[in-house]
Amino acid sequence: MKTNVLKIHPDDSVLVALSDLEPGEQVLNNGTYLPVTEAIPAKHKLTINELAPGDPITMYGVLVGKAKQPIQAGGRLTTFNVQHATNSYDLGSETSTWKAPAIDKWQNQTFMGYHRSDGRVGTANYWLVIPLVFCENRNIQVLKEALVTDLGYGQQRTWQKQTHELMALVQAGRTVEEVLQADLQGADQLAGGKQRLFPNVDGVKFLSHEGGCGGTRQDAQALCGLLAGYITHPNVAGATVLSLGCQNAQAAMLQEEIQKRSPNFDKPLFMLEQQAIGTEEALLGQALRQTFAGLMQANTQVRQPAPLSKLVIGLECGGSDGFSGISANPAVGHASDLVVALGGTVILSEFPELCGVEQELCDRCVDTETASRFRELMSTYALRAKEAGSGFDMNPSPGNIRDGLITDAMKSAGAAKKGGTAPIVDVLDYPELVTKPGLNLLCTPGNDVESTTAEVASGATVVLFTTGLGTPTGNPIAPVIKISSNTALARRMPDIIDINTGSVIDGDETIQQAGERMLEQIISVASGQVEVAAVRHGQDDFIPWKRGVSL
């Protein structure tokens, strides 16, 4: 018999509604029935005991808020009767032990990847075209128009048919109402587009941005570090870089950041300075010639077997809901533990969404130095948010709140489940490179695109991205596997969802089974055997974090 509520941790003071609950309905909690006192939508929480103002509210075994008003037992938690609250934390005990999951099934398994001279292995093979400053964005767009379609990397769907249908309606004198009610044909599916000239190159990607000049010198340094992370990335064969010449983000600064990450860097890299070359025609002509030369070199590389220890997995969430922390995120956490047990690397980011679980994470750090760096980065970030008139408590979005995540601590306690249970081997500041196998923490905003952009710059070759509300987020060079927390979303937005873990909520699968299924998908995606939705749609989201307050 399927239950209609869930108590996540034995110490919790709330239950999660797994389906809509009506006033007067009885729900079972620890062998006794609790009457529901008001309508409670699925994904929202009801309190087990009567609460007075100031009483603590516990979920996932940690403090996630305090009552602002009296709340009846069986009553719904809302932003009106609950306020954000977390416990203080220290550096941890360094005494925790980890029981790794069984990995016999995958111990000798490999994936087919691109081996680079620095020992890293990519899951794709891209060429990058990058501006060092926003002044070059137009030239980047010109190169994109010149290269993408004719080289066979154009989009596979076109909506021009609908545009032509609507034009015909307007020309025929139809009313606004008739246009709004028009039944349009579906998008055209182009038959594979043009054949690729370079079949071993997955694409040419263009990383436009709004940085490189203005702002502070630290902004320019961070941008160059981020771009260097992409240029040296194992999913990248080489790059063409356009510089204006006078901007803060100088070519020498980019070279310096490349050397930090790859002292023996040997990929094709072409840097062109417009002010030195002269005319736009000369600049673009030279860029095209050099890019073609680079693509010829990139095309000589082929996939070869690699151990699963070479996987580097980014963990991300966006558009979270009240089920994310009990289905998708824990399933990702189990997959994460499997990757770590196999000798691979995992990156957990979004520091504003680790608020409230700091003690658990400190306890999991391998030494005091690592825990201390986490506490320093976390407290500095929180302080900057307060100085800007905000705070981590303002992190949940309207969509999060509408679907049951009413405090940042509640959201964070569920989001942290993506990191599984493995020890934390390192804590990185943006935009540092990951160097240690195991679970790493990376300081980034909670903004899903900024965070995904940063995880990939740090070395993630595949990203696991959970969502309860639905988001199309992708990345230019790393496949982003989109994971639904609930079956309704997977059915409503099947074009962007790759894996459904709503099966856990439905009672058809365990967290462990979903995590194992996820690992199999990771291997297939990393081998180029499965194309994820974000890649299929050309969802190339790229937003550098300008080191200010972004939640």
Side-chain angles (χ1 to χ4, degrees):
M1 178 180 177
K2 294 182 180 179
T3 182
N4 52 3
V5 294
L6 173 69
K7 188 176 185 180
I8 299 173
H9 189 278
D11 296 335
D12 286 357
S13 61
V14 301
L15 302 174
V16 182
L18 300 181
S19 59
D20 292 344
L21 303 177
E22 298 297 330
E25 188 173 346
Q26 301 277 328
V27 297
L28 188 62
N29 173 50
N30 291 336
T32 61
Y33 284 96
L34 173 69
V36 176
T37 60
E38 58 185 304
I40 299 177
K43 308 180 186 179
H44 284 254
K45 288 78 186 172
L46 61 154
T47 180
I48 296 172
N49 303 304
E50 183 175 342
L51 298 177
D55 282 351
I57 297 169
T58 304
M59 188 174 171
Y60 296 99
V62 299
L63 179 67
V64 296
K66 290 186 177 181
K68 291 194 295 185
Q69 301 173 357
I71 307 174
Q72 288 182 287
R76 177 183 172 184
L77 303 186
T78 71
T79 54
F80 297 103
N81 59 22
V82 174
Q83 64 184 5
H84 168 84
T86 60
N87 283 320
S88 60
Y89 61 97
D90 57 33
L91 289 182
S93 61
E94 297 186 48
T95 60
S96 61
T97 58
W98 183 50
K99 184 178 180 181
I103 54 172
D104 295 349
K105 181 179 178 181
W106 301 278
Q107 191 72 65
N108 299 314
Q109 196 164 345
T110 61
F111 71 98
M112 298 297 290
Y114 291 95
H115 293 247
R116 308 301 182 186
S117 62
D118 61 2
R120 296 193 288 171
V121 180
T123 62
N125 193 35
Y126 288 106
W127 186 270
L128 291 182
V129 182
I130 301 176
L132 264 181
V133 62
F134 56 81
C135 307
E136 291 298 324
N137 279 346
R138 178 187 172 277
N139 288 329
I140 294 293
Q141 183 60 36
V142 171
L143 290 173
K144 184 175 183 179
E145 292 170 358
L147 289 167
V148 171
T149 301
D150 285 345
L151 290 182
Y153 301 114
Q155 291 296 102
Q156 299 300 297
R157 291 172 70 86
T158 174
W159 299 90
Q160 286 180 307
K161 180 185 293 184
Q162 286 90 331
T163 300
H164 293 159
E165 290 181 52
L166 291 169
M167 288 172 60
L169 291 175
V170 173
Q171 291 167 345
R174 299 297 178 87
T175 66
V176 170
E177 289 73 18
E178 287 174 316
V179 168
L180 289 173
Q181 297 299 322
D183 185 14
L184 302 177
Q185 298 184 40
D188 283 331
Q189 182 76 33
L190 303 182
K194 293 189 177 182
Q195 184 175 356
R196 293 182 179 179
L197 180 62
F198 303 107
N200 293 328
V201 179
D202 293 300
V204 183
K205 297 297 182 176
F206 303 81
L207 306 187
S208 297
H209 58 83
E210 302 303 320
C213 205
T216 66
R217 293 298 188 269
Q218 290 85 352
D219 290 337
Q221 194 80 44
L223 175 65
C224 285
L226 183 82
L227 297 178
Y230 276 73
I231 292 170
T232 60
H233 196 281
N235 287 7
V236 171
T240 303
V241 180
L242 300 190
S243 168
L244 180 60
C246 58
Q247 71 277 352
N248 288 345
Q250 288 285 301
M253 187 182 289
L254 178 62
Q255 289 280 19
E256 174 189 324
E257 292 292 339
I258 289 173
Q259 287 300 308
K260 285 181 185 177
R261 291 159 176 76
S262 181
N264 299 312
F265 181 77
D266 60 357
K267 295 178 182 178
L269 177 63
F270 306 111
M271 292 199 186
L272 300 93
E273 183 179 310
Q274 185 173 2
Q275 290 171 345
I277 292 173
T279 67
E280 180 183 285
E281 182 178 357
L283 173 73
L284 295 175
Q286 189 171 335
L288 283 170
R289 288 192 298 272
Q290 291 181 338
T291 299
F292 265 74
L295 287 168
M296 292 170 68
Q297 296 176 68
N299 196 51
T300 64
Q301 301 176 41
V302 295
R303 292 183 182 271
Q304 297 177 355
L308 299 186
S309 60
K310 293 294 184 178
L311 289 171
V312 183
I313 308 299
L315 310 176
E316 190 60 49
C317 59
S320 299
D321 73 342
F323 285 163
S324 292
I326 58 179
S327 60
N329 291 347
V332 165
H334 186 63
S336 169
D337 283 345
L338 290 171
V339 170
V340 171
L342 287 162
T345 305
V346 175
I347 305 171
L348 177 65
S349 59
E350 299 180 292
F351 271 32
E353 298 182 8
L354 300 179
C355 176
V357 293
E358 296 97 336
Q359 187 63 65
E360 176 197 341
L361 296 175
C362 283
D363 290 343
R364 288 167 57 186
C365 288
V366 294
D367 52 40
T368 302
E369 181 182 1
T370 304
S372 180
R373 192 174 198 216
F374 170 62
R375 184 173 70 171
E376 178 185 356
L377 289 172
M378 194 75 175
S379 59
T380 299
Y381 199 154
L383 179 61
R384 287 176 179 169
K386 289 181 179 179
E387 289 173 345
S390 184
F392 285 173
D393 59 302
M394 300 181 73
N395 173 266
S397 70
N400 296 149
I401 294 168
R402 186 178 61 246
D403 267 47
L405 301 177
I406 61 172
T407 72
D408 184 57
M410 188 180 291
K411 180 180 179 181
S412 297
K417 295 299 179 183
K418 299 192 301 293
T421 59
I424 295 166
V425 298
D426 206 0
V427 177
L428 310 171
D429 195 8
Y430 175 91
E432 288 182 325
L433 175 69
V434 65
T435 59
K436 296 180 181 180
L439 175 61
N440 294 256
L441 302 183
L442 172 65
C443 183
T444 76
N447 178 296
D448 48 6
V449 177
E450 287 177 325
S451 181
T452 301
T453 299
E455 285 186 345
V456 175
S458 287
T461 55
V462 175
V463 176
L464 300 179
F465 190 117
T466 67
T467 182
L469 305 177
T471 170
T473 304
N475 182 266
I477 66 169
V480 178
I481 301 175
K482 211 64 58 56
I483 301 157
S484 169
S485 72
N486 61 90
T487 302
L489 171 61
R491 290 173 178 166
R492 186 173 67 253
M493 303 179 75
D495 57 326
I496 67 168
I497 298 299
D498 301 294
I499 297 175
N500 175 33
T501 59
S503 51
V504 174
I505 303 296
D506 300 335
D508 299 327
E509 193 175 33
T510 66
I511 291 292
Q512 290 71 27
Q513 289 170 333
E516 292 178 3
R517 178 164 58 92
M518 208 172 288
L519 177 58
E520 295 291 350
Q521 184 82 334
I522 291 171
I523 296 169
S524 297
V525 169
S527 299
Q529 297 169 348
V530 173
E531 184 178 64
V532 300
V535 172
R536 187 164 60 250
H537 294 312
Q539 192 76 35
D540 294 338
D541 299 305
F542 179 82
I543 302 180
W545 180 27
K546 189 174 180 180
R547 281 300 287 260
V549 176
S550 176
L551 298 178

